[in-house]
Amino acid sequence: MAKEFVKEITSMDEDFAQWYTDVVTKADLIDYSSVRGCMIIRPYGYALWENIKTELDNRIKATGHENVYMPLFIPESLLQKEKDHIEGFAPEVAWVTHGGSEELTEKLVVRPTSEVLFCDHYKNIIHSYRDLPKLYNQWANVVRWEKTTRPFLRTLEFLWQEGHTAHATDEDAHEETTRMLNVYTDLCENVLAIPVVKGQKTEKEKFAGAKFTYTIESLMHDGKALQSGTSHHLGSGFAQAFGIQYTDQAGTLQYVHQTSWGLTTRIIGALIMVHGDDRGLVIPPKAAPTQVMIVPIAQHKEGVLDFAFDLKEKLSKVARVNIDASDKKPGWKFNEYEMKGVPVRLEVGPKDIENNQVVLARRDTGDKVIVALDELEAKLIELLNDIQINLYNKALKLREEKTSVAATMDEFKENLVGNPGFIKSMWCGERECEDKIKEETGATSRCIPFEQEKVSDTCVCCGKEAKQLVYWAKAY
RNA sequence: CGGGAUGUAGCUCAGCUUGGUAGAGCACUAGCAUGGGGUGCUAGGGGUCGCAGGUUCAAUUCCUGUCAUCUCGACCA
C-alpha cells in the first residue's frame, strides 16, 4: 500500500526547531497571538493541559494539599523582602505603573511566581505548631518577561501550579521537597510516558532564594534536555525575611521551614519533543484528549454512520472516544488525527459491518489489526495500555542511547557533537569549572543525580579530585 | 539584549531588481461524481501588500523608523 503523508510538517532531522513549530501549530495546539511571546492555547491544546492538570491535581490532593488562589499583583516592597529572590527575578518582571490614568504610588509587579504572596499570608495565619504544616497549592498564570520565546517552552505568560508549604522542621520540609518531586516523576513517567532523571540542581542553577532545588530532567528527541519540574527546599530564609514564626510545644518561637514546587505548560513541549515523529504529535493514551478516533469508511452507505455512532457510545464507557463524521475523505482524516497524535484510530466500513469486525490502527507503530466486535472493548483497553508502555520504553531507550560518559573535556566535546544528549561526567564541585564547561561547550549542569555512580576519579574540567557525578547537556 | 532571515488572501508563497492600482496553489462556499491513506471536475467569495512616516504626479515595489515572527547566541521554567 502506498503511503503518502502530510508534507506540511518539516522532518525532524532536517530542522528540529521548524518541526516543533509545525507540530504545535498544525496539530491545532496553539495559535500565535498579537502579543509578542504570548500564545493562544486552542481547544485541543487546552484539553491536553486539562488532562495533565487533572492527573496532577489529583496527586497533589492525595498528598494532603489544598488549592488556594493568590492575587495576580505583588507590591514592589513585598517582592524586595527576600534579597536573592528579587535579584533572581527582577530582570524579568512586568510592572504595573498606572491604574487608569493615575500613576500608582507603589508599583505592582505581575507575579513571576508567588513565594512572597504566600509568605505574606503565612505570617498572618501561622502562629502555633498546631497550624503546621500548611500545604497549599495554586493553579495560576504567571508572567516572566523573557527575551526569546517559543510556544510552550518559553512564553511571557504561562500556566502552572505552584505549591507553597510551611513546616515545623527542616526535615519535614526536606521530606516534602522529595515527596513532590516524586509526584512529578510519577506524572511524567506514568501519565506522560516521559522518563526523567531525578537529582539536585547545582548552586549556580538552583532557584533564587532556595536552600536547594530538586529537579526532574528529561531528554528531547534532538538531544537537548528540558527541566520538567522542580521542587525547592526554601529553608527558613523566606520565613526570616517575612517573619513567619510559630510557637513550638516548648513555648519557644521558631521560624517555619518552607518548600515550593512547580510544573508548567512547558511539560507539553516536553511531551511533543519526546514522543513526536515526522507525522506530527504522538500523545500517550493517558494524556490524550481523544484516545480513539472513529473514522467511518464509505459513510454515505446506509447503516455505516449509525453503526459508527453506536460504537462510539459503546466504547465511551472504556475510553475517550470521538468520531469524525464530516464529509472529508477517509485519507484526509487518517492524516489529520495522526498529526494530532490520537493514539488509536478505529476504521469501520461496510465490509467490517458485514463481518462483525473493525480495524484498529495504532499511532505509535502504525500497525493495523482487525478485531472482532465481541472482543473489541477488551482489545482496545489492552491496546491503549500497550501504547502507553511502548511510548515510555521507546523514550527510555532513546534517552539511554543519547546518554554518554565523558572523563575528559575532549571526550565531552566529542560526545556533544557526535551524540548530543546527556553527558555523565564527574565534577569537583567548583563553580569555576561549571562556568568553564558552559562557556566552552554550551552545555550546562542539569542535575546531580540521586543515583550516583563513579565514572572516573577526577573532575572532567580541572582534573582535580571529583566530588560527584553530574548530568550535563545543552538545554531548552 | 546582540547577529541572521522573514512579514503580500485563512495557510504556503510569487510579484518588488527597472514604481503605474494584486497573482498562484491549498483552504473556504455551492454542485456533481468519488470514498479502506490528504479524490476529481465545474462555478463562486475573499487582500487598506505588518504598521507609521518620507521621496514621487503615482509606492506592495525606493528610503527611514517601528512592531511582530522564525533562528543562532547571552538570560531563564
Side-chain angles (χ1 to χ4, degrees), chain A residues 257-289:
Chain A
H257 297 78
Q258 292 173 274
T259 79
S260 70
W261 26 274
L263 184 134
T264 82
T265 35
R266 178 183 237 198
I267 200 72
I268 294 175
L271 184 145
I272 296 165
M273 291 193 289
V274 168
H275 300 303
D277 62 23
D278 279 347
R279 291 196 234 159
L281 201 55
V282 179
I283 310 181
K286 285 188 186 168

Side-chain angles (χ1 to χ4, degrees), chain A residues 32 36-38 144 146-151 153-156:
Chain A
Y32 287 99
R36 179 191 80 85
C38 294
R144 297 181 190 178
E146 301 287 352
K147 301 287 166 36
T148 50
T149 58
R150 301 192 69 193
L153 299 174
R154 182 163 296 108
T155 45
L156 292 200

Side-chain angles (χ1 to χ4, degrees), chain A residues 47-60:
Chain A
L48 179 56
W49 175 240
E50 281 181 318
N51 282 348
I52 295 170
K53 186 178 166 181
T54 302
E55 292 282 352
L56 182 55
D57 197 54
N58 289 341
R59 286 164 170 79
I60 289 171

